[in-house]
Amino acid sequence: MNQIICTVDIVLLTLHEGVLKVALLKRDREPFKGVNALPGGFIHSNEDSDVQDAALRVLKEKTGIDAPYLEQLASFSGPARDPRGWSVSIAHYALVSFDVINSAAHPDIKLVSVDRPSSLPFDHRSILETAVSRLRSKSQYSSLPCYLTGETFTLPQLQRVYEFLMGEALNKVSFRRKITEMDMLEAIPGQFETAGAHRPAQLYRLKKIFRQQLQLLDRGL
Amino acid sequence: MNQIICTVDIVLLTLHEGVLKVALLKRDREPFKGVNALPGGFIHSNEDSDVQDAALRVLKEKTGIDAPYLEQLASFSGPARDPRGWSVSIAHYALVSFDVINSAAHPDIKLVSVDRPSSLPFDHRSILETAVSRLRSKSQYSSLPCYLTGETFTLPQLQRVYEFLMGEALNKVSFRRKITEMDMLEAIPGQFETAGAHRPAQLYRLKKIFRQQLQLLDRGL
């Protein structure tokens, strides 16, 4: 049996000022010391219960963030992606609201637009593109976009997040029917948001069981 | 860095006599020697160019089969799934027509229904269930079911495969519109299938570029 380097990398995504952004961290060791990269690290066989657990641990250690939603993305592998040798990185993606990143107040987290071309080490560009593509396609038929909003939101706010990720305008009536069908939200009694000349809008939050577990639609939005 | 065992496992699926079946092989070594299991093996850092390449090599070595379509499924990991130690298996699934398995004529391949409860070693039951679930949901919006048919097929035959995988009847007109939209088939000039009292049906095959590359629909069938 040959020695294979086993790591996890995490694509931590958030929405900020209407732009989908990814969290990068300056690497504190070789290879690529000092370069901005996706947070990542070795799997620790003495403490991790599986690769998802490793990804949650690495994210917490490196950024201070407990991801409310983190999912396995895919494995990236080969002899050349890491100068240390043949490696497999099991990439995950996590979604958080900007508030969570902001309150983690980690001095070294750099948020950059996912569309902004920047040079990333290893095959992190490819991992990032795979994550964004997965998020966009899965938004069509799941509660995924909810993890990018704040803890509470109005239905028009949520619809705008879905539209932003899917890249298309959605019909309000059919959007609300699908959201009702997913049965993942609860109205917060007595809480409304007042914006401009509109009448106050009911505030919603994810039902507790869906805060860490995705809800899916059989048919897309 | 701790030693992690890195393997690939392959869920090889086919349709036979109207049943979705998985190919199992008797293990020729410990652990679980003599037990039927998914074909699998170690990643070889000296010869595999990535994990997909490892999966194709292991499948070919163990079953003699070159999979026309093989895709990464997910990683399965932890300290307890393999008695040899903390392990990651990067599971793949492959789809072939029954003819391909039949002509490989491998004496040790055992085809069993994916729904038939049977005891499988490691976490192979969970890997199998994940593969079947992925196949069923992805059939809705991709050319995946085509890889289970023979090399040539009529549109009614293809529709039956889609219906079988999706578990529901499909409207013939809308099915054909979606298939046309995917633009993945070509009619074989002058080849028809005559069945019973029906008029001869045109035979189709996958266009060459889609024989190993999936075609996707933006919206499901």
Side-chain angles (χ1 to χ4, degrees):
Chain A
M1 197 177 60
N2 312 286
Q3 174 75 44
I4 308 279
I5 298 168
C6 281
T7 61
V8 289
D9 285 305
I10 300 105
V11 182
L12 179 65
L13 296 168
T14 194
L15 262 182
H16 182 222
E17 297 175 338
V19 176
L20 187 62
K21 294 185 177 176
V22 58
L24 302 180
L25 272 182
K26 215 178 270 296
R27 287 182 55 81
D28 61 4
R29 67 189 73 176
E30 295 295 346
F32 304 111
K33 188 172 175 182
V35 173
N36 283 316
L38 299 176
F42 293 114
I43 295 170
H44 289 173
S45 60
N46 57 341
E47 55 176 327
D48 299 326
S49 63
D50 57 22
V51 290
Q52 169 148 331
D53 194 43
L56 288 166
R57 174 185 55 74
V58 166
L59 186 64
K60 176 75 176 174
E61 283 175 7
K62 302 228 163 169
T63 68
I65 292 170
D66 286 308
Y69 188 75
L70 180 140
E71 184 183 289
Q72 200 184 107
L73 181 64
S75 297
F76 293 78
S77 56
R81 58 176 300 282
D82 188 319
R84 292 167 291 191
W86 214 106
S87 70
V88 181
S89 171
I90 295 132
H92 291 70
Y93 69 111
L95 305 177
V96 289
S97 70
F98 176 71
D99 296 344
V100 169
I101 292 188
N102 206 29
S103 62
H106 194 293
D108 296 334
I109 295 180
K110 193 177 159 194
L111 286 181
V112 302
S113 162
V114 299
D115 299 320
R116 199 186 92 166
S118 89
S119 98
L120 289 172
F122 306 103
D123 48 5
H124 286 188
R125 164 68 41 192
S126 166
I127 296 177
L128 172 60
E129 284 168 0
T130 305
V132 171
S133 158
R134 175 79 62 88
L135 168 61
R136 291 196 195 279
S137 67
K138 208 161 174 176
S139 291
Q140 239 184 76
Y141 60 93
S142 79
S143 57
L144 214 39
C146 301
Y147 304 109
L148 289 171
T149 66
E151 208 173 310
T152 67
F153 44 83
T154 66
L155 292 181
Q157 284 168 347
L158 185 61
Q159 183 172 341
R160 280 197 297 276
V161 175
Y162 269 90
E163 289 175 334
F164 172 75
L165 293 172
M166 292 171 59
E168 59 181 301
L170 296 169
N171 173 279
K172 178 177 157 181
V173 173
S174 92
F175 175 74
R176 296 202 174 186
R177 194 179 56 236
K178 295 285 191 168
I179 292 295
T180 305
E181 194 183 315
M182 281 197 265
D183 194 24
M184 59 188 180
L185 302 184
E186 59 190 13
I188 310 171
Q191 286 201 35
F192 296 87
E193 182 165 294
T194 316
H198 299 288
R199 61 184 177 130
Q202 173 71 54
L203 279 167
Y204 290 83
R205 64 183 164 216
L206 273 174
K207 287 183 179 175
K208 200 166 178 191
I209 60 159
F210 295 119
R211 285 180 208 161
Q212 300 186 311
Q213 184 200 306
L214 209 58
Q215 176 71 312
L216 298 174
L217 270 177
D218 274 353
R219 302 267 162 175
L221 283 167
Chain B
M1 196 176 61
N2 312 286
Q3 174 74 46
I4 307 278
I5 297 168
C6 281
T7 60
V8 288
D9 285 307
I10 300 104
V11 181
L12 181 65
L13 297 167
T14 194
L15 263 181
H16 182 221
E17 296 174 342
V19 177
L20 187 62
K21 294 185 177 176
V22 59
L24 302 179
L25 272 183
K26 214 179 272 295
R27 287 181 57 81
D28 60 5
R29 65 189 74 175
E30 295 295 346
F32 305 112
K33 188 174 175 178
V35 174
N36 283 317
L38 299 175
F42 293 114
I43 293 171
H44 289 173
S45 60
N46 57 341
E47 56 176 326
D48 299 327
S49 62
D50 57 23
V51 291
Q52 169 147 332
D53 193 44
L56 288 166
R57 173 185 56 76
V58 166
L59 186 64
K60 176 74 177 176
E61 281 174 9
K62 301 227 163 169
T63 68
I65 291 170
D66 286 307
Y69 188 75
L70 179 139
E71 182 183 289
Q72 199 184 107
L73 180 63
S75 297
F76 294 77
S77 56
R81 58 175 300 281
D82 187 318
R84 292 166 290 190
W86 214 106
S87 69
V88 181
S89 172
I90 295 134
H92 290 70
Y93 69 112
L95 305 177
V96 289
S97 70
F98 176 70
D99 296 343
V100 169
I101 292 187
N102 206 30
S103 62
H106 193 292
D108 296 333
I109 295 180
K110 193 176 159 194
L111 285 180
V112 303
S113 161
V114 298
D115 300 319
R116 197 186 93 169
S118 88
S119 100
L120 289 173
F122 307 102
D123 48 5
H124 286 189
R125 165 65 46 191
S126 167
I127 295 177
L128 172 60
E129 284 168 0
T130 305
V132 171
S133 159
R134 174 80 60 89
L135 169 61
R136 291 196 195 280
S137 67
K138 207 161 175 174
S139 291
Q140 240 185 75
Y141 59 93
S142 78
S143 56
L144 216 37
C146 301
Y147 304 108
L148 289 171
T149 66
E151 208 173 310
T152 67
F153 44 83
T154 66
L155 291 181
Q157 285 168 346
L158 185 62
Q159 182 172 344
R160 281 198 296 276
V161 175
Y162 269 90
E163 289 175 333
F164 172 75
L165 293 173
M166 292 172 59
E168 59 182 300
L170 296 169
N171 172 280
K172 178 176 156 182
V173 173
S174 93
F175 174 75
R176 296 203 174 187
R177 195 182 54 238
K178 296 283 191 172
I179 292 295
T180 304
E181 195 183 315
M182 280 198 266
D183 193 25
M184 60 189 180
L185 303 184
E186 58 189 14
I188 310 172
Q191 286 201 35
F192 296 87
E193 182 165 295
T194 316
H198 299 288
R199 63 184 174 128
Q202 173 71 51
L203 280 167
Y204 290 83
R205 66 182 163 215
L206 272 175
K207 287 183 180 175
K208 200 165 180 193
I209 60 159
F210 296 118
R211 285 182 206 159
Q212 301 187 308
Q213 183 201 308
L214 209 59
Q215 176 69 311
L216 299 173
L217 268 178
D218 274 353
R219 303 264 161 177
L221 282 167

